[in-house]
Amino acid sequence: MIMDRLKAPARLMIVSDLDHTMVDHHDKENLSLLRFNSLWEANYRHDSLLVFSTGRSLTLYKELRKEKPMLTPDITIMSVGTEITYGNDMVPDDGWVKVLNQKWDKDIVREEASKFSELKLQAETEQRAHKVSFYVEKDKAQAVTKALSEALKQRGLDVKIIYSGGIDLDILPQGAGKGQALAYLLQKFKTEGHPPVNTLVCGDSGNDAELFSIPEVYGVMVKNAQEELLQWHAENAKDNKKIIHATERCAAGIIQAIGHFSLGPNLPPRDVTDISDYIVENMNPGHNIVEFFLFYEKWRRAEIENSEIYLAGVKANCCPSATYVHPTGNENNLHNCINALRDCYGDKQGKHYRVWVDQVLPTQIDSNTWLVKFDMWVLSGEEQNAARGTAIYSSKGENPSGHLTWIRGHQTWIKGYEPKQVASFFG
Ligand code: GLC
Ligand code: MG
């Protein structure tokens, strides 16, 4: 399904760095990330593309995904634009790798760099086919970069040296980097006849600078952007009105940019405090799923009022004969499941408890029926559980709230994320 979406022009393509851009390492609650997730899944997932562009190798990228409530991107660009992969299966783009072999030899790079005592080699996982990475102190970075470039030129190589986060120094082939990887993708989409309608790049540090130099893209440097990026911007892109320095940190800065450039809806469903406002929303089946699980989280956290009106509202969106199959295989009437929610109001109050959905993908199966696939994630204390689900909605019988009517739900555990103790309802 993702691969199919890669063949149509994306309404919005977001190309975002991860550390300190999409992911705020100073936000233990991950609120801005969760807000972004709700916005993306409710309004963009079905016709837009999410691209993560990170300095991390696959090994460290996987670690981050375990630590933070991140969505699954459509395209993953890793190791500072030297590795491009597509879809959930992370199918590598072999064409891109070939481009990078020109005037590049990582053994020579390591040999020459070892002559600089200021450079401390990073972990072996971060040394890649087209990326050699070190740590170097801020005050030594410039001089080392200059001398090392000279030395490598003498050896016949053509490299790019990038300084990020006031500590990391990456050496890449000249044709590599986050910007070149994005230019390659845009060119590929153009050649295939489906360039994105709008592209928004998001970053905070030195290795993101190139993203902002790609013509025609919008860009946001998040509030907490590093000095080296702000300096690059001041010297190279000061008058470009398509680039802003957000007043909000990390993912909240990305949401801000979507609004600033009018790229589409920018109110995350997670921010809607009056649940009854949900009722007037458009008929987007993906939206229904996002709203339902937000309601579920807020109800259990006692962040909304314990009111029968809410339960009645949820029930009004379900056909009275609708059934729900729990991941354990137990089948129940959906109205009964919702009634059972009365007993868990506030049971997660003051606790570490979040629910979010990922890859919410609706397909219309006939003129009035929709099938929505989604992954649901629950973080409860230290435990993280996940289930893959499908929901079927009908537009028959005109629901007065404007919502589609829920006629069936089904979930199965995602392997490795089954709960230790099976709870009732959605777990
Ligand atoms: C990530 C990578 C590291 C790289 C840095 C800056 O932290 O793990 O190897 O140097 O990004 O690009
Ligand atoms: Mg970063």
Side-chain angles (χ1 to χ4, degrees):
M1 204 182 265
I2 284 194
M3 291 322 231
D4 276 353
R5 283 181 319 106
L6 280 174
K7 292 187 187 120
R11 179 161 58 103
L12 176 62
M13 176 158 96
I14 286 197
V15 181
S16 179
D17 169 52
L18 296 177
D19 294 287
H20 310 287
T21 302
M22 185 59 83
V23 173
D24 191 344
H25 291 284
H26 297 286
D27 177 7
K28 277 220 172 74
E29 286 284 322
N30 300 307
L31 266 184
S32 60
L33 180 56
L34 289 165
R35 289 174 62 229
F36 174 84
N37 292 356
S38 72
L39 178 66
W40 189 260
E41 294 300 333
N43 297 289
Y44 293 95
R45 173 66 79 176
H46 61 287
D47 64 358
S48 296
L49 287 177
L50 185 61
V51 182
F52 287 164
S53 185
T54 177
R56 292 182 181 233
S57 63
L58 179 63
T59 311
L60 293 191
Y61 168 65
K62 281 191 184 154
E63 272 179 28
L64 186 65
R65 288 190 59 111
K66 274 197 213 133
E67 287 162 21
K68 294 283 180 181
M70 289 160 58
L71 296 181
T72 306
D74 301 291
I75 301 174
T76 319
I77 303 174
M78 291 167 294
S79 305
V80 199
T82 62
E83 296 165 33
I84 302 178
T85 70
Y86 301 94
N88 289 6
D89 296 336
M90 302 188 80
V91 180
D93 188 322
D94 296 328
W96 177 236
V97 175
K98 284 191 198 113
V99 174
L100 304 182
N101 285 327
Q102 283 169 35
K103 293 196 177 177
W104 172 257
D105 184 326
K106 76 175 195 315
D107 297 328
I108 297 182
V109 174
R110 277 182 81 150
E111 186 192 318
E112 286 300 325
S114 69
K115 298 177 187 162
F116 292 80
S117 60
E118 305 91 319
L119 293 175
K120 262 191 63 198
L121 197 65
Q122 290 185 10
E124 268 315 312
T125 61
E126 301 315 283
Q127 313 305 334
R128 313 292 302 160
H130 299 99
K131 166 175 172 286
V132 181
S133 294
F134 298 88
Y135 298 118
V136 63
E137 281 162 31
K138 246 185 188 168
D139 54 339
K140 306 205 173 93
Q142 246 181 349
V144 172
T145 302
K146 200 159 167 259
L148 184 58
S149 313
E150 258 325 298
L152 291 172
K153 207 166 164 190
Q154 294 286 319
R155 303 277 316 252
L157 302 192
D158 191 10
V159 303
K160 183 183 263 179
I161 302 183
I162 305 176
Y163 194 55
S164 301
I167 180 81
D168 298 312
L169 185 128
D170 301 315
I171 307 163
L172 320 171
Q174 187 58 249
K178 289 186 177 188
Q180 309 270 25
L182 173 57
Y184 170 85
L185 272 185
L186 288 173
Q187 186 53 49
K188 184 177 158 115
F189 290 166
K190 218 175 194 170
T191 311
E192 293 169 357
H194 55 90
V197 178
N198 285 307
T199 302
L200 173 68
V201 303
C202 324
D204 77 299
S205 86
N207 67 12
D208 302 315
E210 305 191 329
L211 287 172
F212 296 90
S213 63
I214 303 302
E216 287 171 40
V217 305
Y218 293 96
V220 53
M221 303 183 289
V222 291
K223 177 186 183 181
N224 49 292
Q226 293 278 336
E227 201 183 302
E228 77 249 349
L229 178 63
L230 296 175
Q231 194 182 332
W232 174 90
H233 174 255
E235 287 165 11
N236 300 282
K238 205 168 73 253
D239 300 324
N240 184 348
K241 293 233 163 28
K242 289 181 128 184
I243 301 176
I244 57 164
H245 182 192
T247 56
E248 306 264 2
R249 293 178 56 81
C250 300
I254 301 177
I255 299 170
Q256 186 185 359
I258 293 174
H260 179 89
F261 296 120
S262 304
L263 300 175
N266 69 330
L267 176 66
R270 187 172 274 280
D271 292 1
V272 178
T273 44
D274 185 353
I275 290 272
S276 53
D277 281 358
Y278 286 171
I279 298 184
V280 288
E281 275 296 342
N282 56 9
M283 274 217 324
N284 168 0
H287 216 288
N288 284 11
I289 292 285
V290 173
E291 283 170 4
F292 177 78
F293 287 108
L294 276 170
F295 163 78
Y296 181 71
E297 177 199 296
K298 290 179 181 184
W299 179 262
R300 296 189 66 176
R301 288 175 62 100
E303 283 177 358
I304 49 175
E305 222 180 290
N306 187 355
S307 159
E308 280 298 318
I309 296 174
Y310 291 145
L311 293 182
V314 177
K315 273 195 268 180
N317 293 328
C318 306
C319 167
S321 62
T323 55
Y324 164 69
V325 182
H326 189 272
T328 50
N330 288 339
E331 185 163 344
N332 239 311
N333 174 275
L334 202 45
H335 275 202
N336 290 343
C337 294
I338 293 160
N339 287 334
L341 276 178
R342 286 197 188 95
D343 295 337
C344 46
Y345 179 82
D347 64 344
K348 302 289 181 186
Q349 190 168 16
K351 298 199 176 126
H352 200 39
Y353 179 76
R354 294 288 175 192
V355 181
W356 69 97
V357 285
D358 182 23
Q359 303 201 80
V360 178
L361 290 168
T363 336
Q364 188 157 16
I365 46 181
D366 66 39
S367 57
N368 38 39
T369 317
W370 292 83
L371 182 142
V372 188
K373 289 191 181 182
F374 62 95
D375 287 351
M376 171 222 195
W377 289 82
V378 180
L379 177 73
S380 185
E382 293 295 301
E383 203 178 326
Q384 197 154 305
N385 303 128
R388 186 145 294 162
T390 49
I392 298 179
Y393 291 101
S394 168
S395 58
K396 258 195 206 144
E398 303 261 318
N399 185 340
S401 67
H403 267 112
L404 296 161
T405 307
W406 200 347
I407 55 175
R408 193 173 165 80
H410 188 176
Q411 289 188 301
T412 49
W413 300 125
I414 292 179
K415 230 175 166 277
Y417 291 96
E418 303 89 347
K420 290 196 193 98
Q421 235 185 344
V422 177
S424 62
F425 199 28
F426 289 86

